[in-house]
Amino acid sequence: MFSSFMIAADKSGSGKTTLTTGIIRYLTRTGRTVAPFKCGPDYIDTLHLERASGRKAYNLDSVMLSRSTVADVFAKSCAGADAAVIEGVMGILDGVSHTDFAGSSADVASIIDVPCVLVLDCSGSSYTAAAMVRGISELAKVRMAGVVLNNIASDRHAFLVRSAVETHTDCKVLGTLPKNSEKLLGSRHLGIKTAMEVNGEYLDACADFASANVNIEDLLTLCRTTDFETATYHTAQSEKRDKTAYVAYDKAFQFYYNSNIDFLRSAGFDVRFFSPLAGEGIDGADFVYIGGGYPELYAKQLSESPTAKIIKDYAESGGRLYAECGGLMFLSGGIHTADGFFPMAGVFDCVTRMCDRRQALGYVRAELVKDCILGRAGESNIGHEFHYSAMENYSGEYAYRLTRITDGKTSQDGLIYKNTAAAYTHLHFLCDNPLIKNLII
């Protein structure tokens, strides 16, 4: 029997990642195969879910992708699994529209038809928690499998909140999380530490925490379904692999949607991973993809890596190359960090600087302002920005006009040099008419 559910919450910082990671790790330790998912554009949480399950985690994003594509990604990625566990994004109703909550966890849950488990912050309240649960349930219009009460101060506090919730709502209380419980995972400017920075002990600690405080077996029973045939779905792949794509992957560059890698394979590429930190090369590359990450943390090592010159020579020779965010920083003339300035590949005549404050966050429509290797002027895709660095000393033209989805604010992004394209904006390759197809095909 297959079970599926989403861990959602009333707000960000609720402990969704720790709880979701813990539940997935618990299920994996007890012999279940779990298909992990993350709502929205986040990369870091997805990697933790991947580590916990030992299986590729996929993003379900109803802003960048059509509803049918979200459903398709979910169905295909559940193949062979005993359970699907999805981590929500922000608060359950937080998306890009206040009218229909598009792009929210509730929106994704309705598309893939899974019940939600609501993680509710109960600090400073007792009976009012029932009103929160009822209000969220009515507005979200999704099935609520149950509630996990967070920041519970004592056994009496747990009794008061549980009694109110189960009296005034149809939601079962599946567990309580103690107040001021020790944080299992540290954070930095882009969010929690990445999966490469934690070990199996952290994952097991999450599993122990989740299983001690939440009735996971009851949760599985509540969320079982009999009409979801995962075995009938298969990820489409091209049988002909006559091209080679190199994807940068190490501690400096690790932010990728797994669907993007699948897209390359479906387009006929043999995908190989290489490490700029280790000085690895890209022999025989037909396409190179350098994603986001934390290049600023490894700036000295990257500046001394022979890969920087390899990438520079590849771009100069007309090789096809696409870089996002941290990848753009690596292709710049260098990175200003708190420890000084470190030269990079120098494909583009600009430098980047780490800033104290966030420089961009949110969904944007990236529209081409001129014909280029990515397509014709006027073509566009919805992407996502999240970065703390800024570009300096660039005097060239920009490829994109960005329009923020939530408020219409405009800006510029996108650099083009020969057959190299780079931008701070992250794109999902499964969006309708993806611009990337013009570069790789």
Side-chain angles (χ1 to χ4, degrees), residues 316-328:
E316 289 290 350
S317 71
R320 294 176 179 267
L321 194 161
Y322 179 69
E324 294 177 326
C325 204
L328 181 153

Side-chain angles (χ1 to χ4, degrees), residues 56-111:
K56 293 296 182 184
Y58 285 81
N59 291 73
L60 303 174
D61 192 307
S62 58
V63 179
M64 290 193 281
L65 304 179
S66 68
R67 299 176 75 82
S68 60
T69 300
V70 169
D72 190 53
V73 169
F74 178 69
K76 288 176 178 177
S77 304
C78 285
D82 301 307
V85 182
I86 307 103
E87 181 188 348
V89 57
M90 301 175 66
I92 187 171
L93 298 173
D94 296 327
V96 295
S97 170
H98 69 279
T99 56
D100 60 4
F101 309 118
S104 67
S105 300
D107 187 34
V108 172
S110 68
I111 293 171

Side-chain angles (χ1 to χ4, degrees), residues 125-141:
S125 69
S126 57
Y127 301 146
T128 303
M132 294 287 291
V133 174
R134 177 183 283 187
I136 289 172
S137 297
E138 290 181 359
L139 278 178
K141 295 182 174 61

Side-chain angles (χ1 to χ4, degrees), residues 93-292:
L93 298 173
D94 296 327
V96 295
S97 170
H98 69 279
T99 56
D100 60 4
F101 309 118
S104 67
S105 300
D107 187 34
V108 172
S110 68
I111 293 171
I112 61 177
D113 191 25
V114 298
C116 291
V117 175
L118 182 68
V119 182
L120 184 69
D121 183 359
C122 300
S123 58
S125 69
S126 57
Y127 301 146
T128 303
M132 294 287 291
V133 174
R134 177 183 283 187
I136 289 172
S137 297
E138 290 181 359
L139 278 178
K141 295 182 174 61
V142 295
R143 289 179 288 150
M144 285 291 181
V147 183
V148 174
L149 308 176
N150 196 10
N151 281 320
I152 295 298
S154 64
D155 289 344
R156 176 167 174 74
H157 186 203
F159 172 76
L160 295 175
V161 179
R162 180 189 294 269
S163 299
V165 169
E166 294 189 337
T167 297
H168 297 287
T169 78
D170 295 328
C171 291
K172 177 181 177 63
V173 175
L174 293 166
T176 59
L177 307 181
K179 187 175 183 179
N180 297 325
S181 56
E182 183 180 356
K183 287 188 175 182
L184 298 175
L185 192 61
S187 63
R188 64 161 58 88
H189 59 266
L190 288 184
I192 62 177
K193 290 183 178 179
T194 68
M196 287 188 179
E197 297 174 279
V198 298
N199 54 31
E201 291 180 1
Y202 158 71
L203 298 174
D204 287 331
C206 288
D208 293 342
F209 175 76
S211 59
N213 294 290
V214 177
N215 193 326
I216 300 174
E217 297 299 335
D218 268 7
L219 172 57
L220 286 178
T221 301
L222 285 169
C223 298
R224 282 178 181 164
T225 180
T226 58
D227 58 359
F228 189 83
E229 296 294 335
T230 64
T232 63
Y233 296 94
H234 302 281
T235 301
Q237 301 289 345
S238 171
E239 293 183 3
K240 186 178 181 181
R241 299 284 176 82
D242 57 352
K243 300 174 289 186
T244 301
Y246 277 86
V247 179
Y249 195 83
D250 54 27
K251 288 184 178 181
F253 305 102
Q254 53 187 288
F255 295 167
Y256 299 94
Y257 300 128
N258 280 317
S259 291
N260 286 7
I261 307 303
D262 289 348
F263 179 89
L264 294 177
R265 293 192 175 104
S266 69
F269 285 97
D270 174 24
V271 176
R272 302 177 185 179
F273 296 93
F274 74 105
S275 170
L277 285 176
E280 294 177 349
I282 51 171
D283 292 344
D286 296 294
F287 177 70
V288 175
Y289 181 16
I290 307 177

Side-chain angles (χ1 to χ4, degrees), residues 361-413:
L361 171 63
Y363 290 102
V364 293
R365 179 168 291 281
E367 179 184 357
L368 290 175
V369 298
K370 60 179 181 179
D371 293 352
C372 66
I373 56 175
L374 290 174
R376 295 186 177 277
E379 291 186 299
S380 66
N381 286 161
I382 293 178
H384 189 265
E385 284 189 294
F386 189 7
H387 56 94
Y388 272 74
S389 70
M391 190 163 51
E392 297 180 345
N393 302 334
Y394 180 65
S395 58
E397 295 181 326
Y398 290 91
Y400 293 148
R401 177 188 299 109
L402 300 185
T403 304
R404 198 155 59 192
I405 298 298
T406 52
D407 60 10
K409 183 178 179 180
T410 60
S411 57
Q412 299 180 98
D413 191 17

